[in-house]
Amino acid sequence: MHKLEKIWLGLGMASLVLFLVIILVQAIHLGHEPAASGGEFVDPELVDKHETFKNPGLHKVEGKDWDYELVFVVSAFNYNPGNVEIPKGAKVKIIATSKDVNHGFEIAHTNVNFMVVPGHISTFTKTFDKKGEYLLLCNEYCGMGHADMKSNIKVVDKK
């Protein structure tokens, strides 16, 4: 083997080892893991009995960094609630979990896009500054009815 080939092969192997070490350090030492945001969990079979998910929908809150909590229970081809009205300018903490399989949670034309995993409580905080209707879509294939899985979020003037 030529001297330059050995050097090039050595650099490639060294890079691979370095990248693996970085991944291991992040996974073990820093505690990174592929989990939904917040690290909160709920038994998927008991979602309807969990305090947060007993009454899905938009709820006004006091004493927090956001104005409303929008709670979603996601299951096969269904977002509960199906339609939501949010006051314009409201800062909303979206809280969601799945009862069955992985689902996507994307509000079209916004930066809201996360995965809803059974047993994990996923959260996202968003200020809705623009009046209009937003389509909530499942962007993670979840079965035969996936294409029909949607909800509407309507941002309206404050009452």
Side-chain angles (χ1 to χ4, degrees):
M1 196 181 303
H2 191 271
K3 180 181 174 184
L4 292 177
E5 287 179 338
K6 288 181 183 179
I7 292 172
W8 188 248
L9 188 60
L11 286 173
M13 293 299 285
S15 296
L16 179 61
V17 169
L18 177 65
F19 293 143
L20 289 174
V21 168
I22 290 170
I23 290 171
L24 284 172
V25 166
Q26 287 183 334
I28 296 169
H29 179 67
L30 300 177
H32 291 194
E33 58 184 69
S37 63
E40 297 179 67
F41 303 96
V42 61
D43 184 343
E45 294 179 10
L46 302 175
V47 167
D48 294 327
K49 295 178 180 165
H50 190 274
E51 190 62 36
T52 304
F53 299 103
K54 278 183 186 177
N55 186 21
L58 187 68
H59 307 286
K60 180 86 171 139
V61 294
E62 300 291 332
K64 298 190 177 179
D65 290 339
W66 50 88
D67 305 314
Y68 294 89
E69 290 181 348
L70 178 52
V71 178
F72 277 95
V73 175
V74 184
S75 58
F77 325 127
N78 181 42
Y79 288 105
N80 183 15
N83 296 304
V84 179
E85 280 193 5
I86 298 173
K88 181 181 173 189
K91 187 173 184 180
V92 179
K93 181 175 184 180
I94 300 166
I95 305 168
T97 193
S98 170
K99 295 166 85 173
D100 49 20
V101 299
N102 291 349
H103 293 280
F105 194 100
E106 176 184 0
I107 301 176
H109 307 295
T110 70
N111 65 337
V112 179
N113 185 0
F114 58 90
M115 209 166 164
V116 183
V117 179
H120 293 265
I121 298 175
S122 300
T123 62
F124 194 100
T125 304
K126 166 85 176 147
T127 301
F128 290 89
D129 291 326
K130 292 174 89 176
K131 196 171 116 175
E133 289 192 35
Y134 296 87
L135 186 60
L136 170 58
L137 298 167
C138 179
N139 59 4
E140 182 74 28
Y141 183 74
C142 55
M144 294 297 288
H146 166 74
D148 297 321
M149 187 171 172
K150 55 188 165 240
S151 179
N152 271 327
I153 295 176
K154 189 173 187 178
V155 179
V156 297
D157 288 323
K158 291 182 181 179
K159 296 176 183 177

